[in-house]
Amino acid sequence: MRILGDVHLAGIGSWLPEAVTTQEAVDRGWYAFADREGSGMRAVRVAGEVPAPEMAVRAGRTALRRAADAAGLTPDDYGALLHAATYHQGPDGWSAPHYVLRHTLDRPLTAAQIGPGCLGMLAALELAAHRLTADPSRDAVLVTSADNFSAPVVDRWNSSKLFLLADGGAAAVVSRRGGFARLLSIGSASAPALEEMHRAGEELFPPGITVGRSLNFEERNAHLRRRWEQGTAAPAVHFGDVVADTVDRVLEEAGTSLEKVTRICHTGYARGALHSIYLAPLDVEPALGTWEFTRDIGHVGAADPFIGLEHLWARGEVGPGDQVVLLAAGPGMEVACAVVEITAGHREQTAHPAHRPTAEEDHR
């Protein structure tokens, strides 16, 4: 979808906890040495008992502060809060988005949780763009995301060979008033034939978490491989083609091409998955993406592309005139992509985005 009106990112923020190195994980017996060598991952962010919605609040406060500086936005200028999450946020029957709303904007706005999975924050960005285009009464939408995979039923080191699950949060202010980047286009596409990839071998009811099942994608992949070995036909769809076709379309809608893109902010996959899902289908080198950053972070659910964008922008690795692709994939299977053009450099003298703020910084 080409963005015809003025839709900008007025502020961006992230909150990441301390790193646990993959070498420590190997030494403690959590992670196999061979898996560490194959993944290329150096560290993962682990939040311990910090709740996911609290991490979203901390990231949201940074984004709101920057949006106020860049576009003069106040809480009364916001029309909604959209919160993306890939794992459980707190008590059943409770609304994490309204917790984030209460501790950030604190206004009687609509607050909703957005999916699906790891592309949820890009889906929220698209919904925010639609809302700003359709409703002129408010000038901004706050988009947040956060996850904490420290739950006892999750083995962050071995739940998938594609990634290491990491904790953290991110936020972005989507605005009509300007900011540091302009949204040029955004879109998504799914491959429903691949829907079973993320549920293979598990019944839909009762939900696995209610009977103590862990989040284990490797078990599901093993189930599928056994079925294929027994003669069941594998899906004819290649997800890499879906990724390439979607990126090409969204770039065309933005009036640009991959050759003109300065950087790609992608999901924090391990080396093999990053290559097969993104780099090879797009025929690009790792240096165009954020691999050297994400290999010290891990896969922070839906927050990855925005954590990467903040990192590049705050460090001056992208500046005015540069075009950046935000890219994520998730269950469904589905891929989402956005193209933004940087319109202003980072002028704040702040800590590195991956730095864990002090308690005083958290509550500024």
Side-chain angles (χ1 to χ4, degrees), residues 136-170:
S137 67
R138 293 290 185 270
D139 286 339
V141 173
L142 177 60
V143 175
T144 63
S145 180
D147 278 295
N148 184 333
F149 295 102
S150 300
V153 293
V154 178
D155 180 353
R156 73 172 71 246
W157 304 99
N158 300 292
S159 66
S160 175
K161 292 291 194 295
L162 302 183
F163 47 74
L164 296 179
L165 292 166
D167 308 333

Side-chain angles (χ1 to χ4, degrees), residues 202-208 210-211:
E202 286 197 30
E203 297 296 330
L204 298 183
F205 188 87
T210 66
V211 293

Side-chain angles (χ1 to χ4, degrees), residues 18-25 28 30 42-46 157:
E18 298 291 346
V20 174
T21 67
T22 51
Q23 182 60 57
E24 179 182 348
R28 290 177 174 267
W30 302 334
R42 293 186 296 225
V44 173
R45 301 307 176 107
V46 178
W157 304 99

Side-chain angles (χ1 to χ4, degrees), residues 159 195-204 213 216-235:
S159 66
E195 165 272 327
E196 189 181 6
M197 299 291 290
H198 289 87
R199 67 168 173 85
E202 286 197 30
E203 297 296 330
L204 298 183
R213 287 188 67 94
N216 193 320
F217 294 110
E218 287 305 302
E219 286 182 352
R220 301 172 194 177
N221 290 337
H223 177 85
L224 283 174
R225 285 194 297 270
R226 286 194 298 270
R227 287 179 50 190
W228 296 339
E229 290 168 357
Q230 292 166 4
T232 301

Side-chain angles (χ1 to χ4, degrees), residues 8-328:
H8 304 263
L9 297 180
I12 194 167
S14 67
W15 191 88
L16 294 172
E18 298 291 346
V20 174
T21 67
T22 51
Q23 182 60 57
E24 179 182 348
V26 170
D27 293 343
R28 290 177 174 267
W30 302 334
Y31 195 35
F33 175 80
D35 290 340
R36 176 183 183 268
E37 293 298 293
S39 73
M41 298 296 297
R42 293 186 296 225
V44 173
R45 301 307 176 107
V46 178
E49 296 183 355
V50 181
E54 179 59 28
M55 290 187 274
V57 167
R58 296 175 186 185
R61 288 172 176 168
T62 299
L64 290 171
R65 183 178 70 249
R66 288 172 169 166
D69 292 341
L73 291 166
T74 71
D76 292 329
D77 295 316
Y78 288 77
L81 182 146
L82 303 176
H83 179 66
T86 64
Y87 200 62
H88 304 284
Q89 299 285 289
D92 282 346
W94 168 78
S95 174
H98 288 87
Y99 177 93
V100 179
L101 176 64
R102 178 185 178 188
H103 293 281
T104 53
L105 295 168
D106 196 22
R107 293 295 186 273
L109 310 176
T110 183
Q113 187 160 320
I114 305 298
C118 305
L119 54 84
M121 205 168 174
L122 282 173
L125 174 60
E126 183 170 1
L127 289 174
H130 282 300
R131 183 181 179 97
L132 291 173
T133 302
D135 180 9
S137 67
R138 293 290 185 270
D139 286 339
V141 173
L142 177 60
V143 175
T144 63
S145 180
D147 278 295
N148 184 333
F149 295 102
S150 300
V153 293
V154 178
D155 180 353
R156 73 172 71 246
W157 304 99
N158 300 292
S159 66
S160 175
K161 292 291 194 295
L162 302 183
F163 47 74
L164 296 179
L165 292 166
D167 308 333
V173 171
V174 191
S175 168
R176 272 193 295 264
R177 289 195 193 173
F180 73 94
R182 181 180 173 220
L183 180 63
L184 302 181
S185 64
I186 189 167
S188 60
S190 66
L194 301 177
E195 165 272 327
E196 189 181 6
M197 299 291 290
H198 289 87
R199 67 168 173 85
E202 286 197 30
E203 297 296 330
L204 298 183
F205 188 87
I209 189 65
T210 66
V211 293
R213 287 188 67 94
S214 65
L215 177 65
N216 193 320
F217 294 110
E218 287 305 302
E219 286 182 352
R220 301 172 194 177
N221 290 337
H223 177 85
L224 283 174
R225 285 194 297 270
R226 286 194 298 270
R227 287 179 50 190
W228 296 339
E229 290 168 357
Q230 292 166 4
T232 301
V237 178
H238 188 279
F239 191 61
D241 294 337
V242 181
V243 171
D245 291 345
T246 304
V247 172
D248 287 345
R249 171 171 55 83
V250 175
L251 284 168
E252 182 178 358
E253 291 168 346
T256 189
S257 64
L258 197 55
E259 292 73 22
K260 297 178 182 178
V261 168
T262 304
R263 299 294 292 271
I264 298 174
C265 298
H266 49 68
T267 310
Y269 287 148
R271 180 163 45 204
L274 177 64
H275 178 79
S276 62
I277 295 174
Y278 292 142
L279 301 183
L282 298 177
D283 193 23
V284 298
E285 295 297 321
L288 188 65
T290 50
W291 165 245
E292 283 301 322
F293 173 62
T294 59
R295 67 190 302 199
D296 289 312
I297 304 297
H299 178 25
V300 194
D304 288 344
F306 291 83
I307 294 173
L309 178 60
E310 186 199 25
H311 171 78
L312 296 179
W313 177 66
R315 288 171 59 92
E317 295 186 34
V318 295
D322 288 339
Q323 295 176 349
V324 180
V325 167
L326 309 181
L327 183 60

